[in-house]
Amino acid sequence: MPATETFRIPKHRRHVPAARQYVRKALADWGVTDELADAVTLSANELVTNAVTHCRVSFAHVMVSLTLCGPELVLEVADPDRDRLPRLHDPGPDEEGGRGLALVAALADDWGHRQEPYAKHVWARFRLTGASEGARVPDGS
């Protein structure tokens, strides 16, 4: 059975560091370390930052979910602005932002999004390799 950690943060930039800490702790609890933990944490930072920056729904919360299932770890970030879909952007050299999804695409094995009736979910999949192959699904005890 897969292990899942899910949490919500208010849609505000000041809560992005808390999301990174939650992700890092969940990964450590599962034994996911090293470069994979760094890649997942950085991807979470980018996806959460995009959600809090671009979601136009007032007083919204952003949901972050990590699922460890077999040889794969899935990061998913959801917000209630279902019609504002993510897209890769080719920023100019002087633009301050616009590189987050390209970074996620480079770090993850796959990424994408899906719309649900009241939310959009942006996900990234990572294969467990090397030291992280020993990641363990908690037994619930």
Side-chain angles (χ1 to χ4, degrees):
M1 176 183 258
T4 301
E5 282 290 327
T6 302
F7 59 91
R8 295 180 191 281
I9 61 164
K11 184 197 75 144
H12 196 280
R13 280 174 115 36
R14 72 175 175 262
H15 296 286
V16 174
R20 276 195 314 268
Q21 291 172 344
Y22 290 140
V23 167
R24 182 64 80 172
K25 181 181 181 326
L27 295 173
D29 289 349
W30 291 341
V32 177
T33 60
D34 302 328
E35 291 175 5
L36 180 59
D38 292 341
V40 174
T41 303
L42 182 54
S43 296
N45 183 77
E46 295 303 324
L47 295 180
V48 170
T49 298
N50 283 352
V52 301
T53 301
H54 300 295
C55 178
R56 296 175 294 193
V57 176
S58 300
F59 307 109
H61 279 80
V62 172
M63 183 181 72
V64 179
S65 180
L66 289 166
T67 303
L68 179 63
C69 185
E72 184 174 79
L73 190 144
V74 178
L75 163 68
E76 194 166 307
V77 176
D79 70 71
D81 195 354
R82 73 172 297 280
D83 294 323
R84 195 157 184 172
L85 299 176
R87 61 180 177 81
L88 284 172
H89 180 64
D90 187 18
D94 295 333
E95 286 185 65
E96 193 171 305
R99 294 169 182 81
L101 285 177
L103 187 58
V104 172
L107 293 170
D109 293 300
D110 194 16
W111 78 277
H113 61 82
R114 72 177 189 281
Q115 288 175 288
E116 292 189 351
Y118 300 104
K120 112 175 127 276
H121 297 253
V122 183
W123 52 265
R125 287 191 176 105
F126 302 85
R127 277 191 296 275
L128 300 180
T129 59
S132 293
E133 284 180 354
R136 64 197 177 285
V137 175
D139 62 6
S141 51

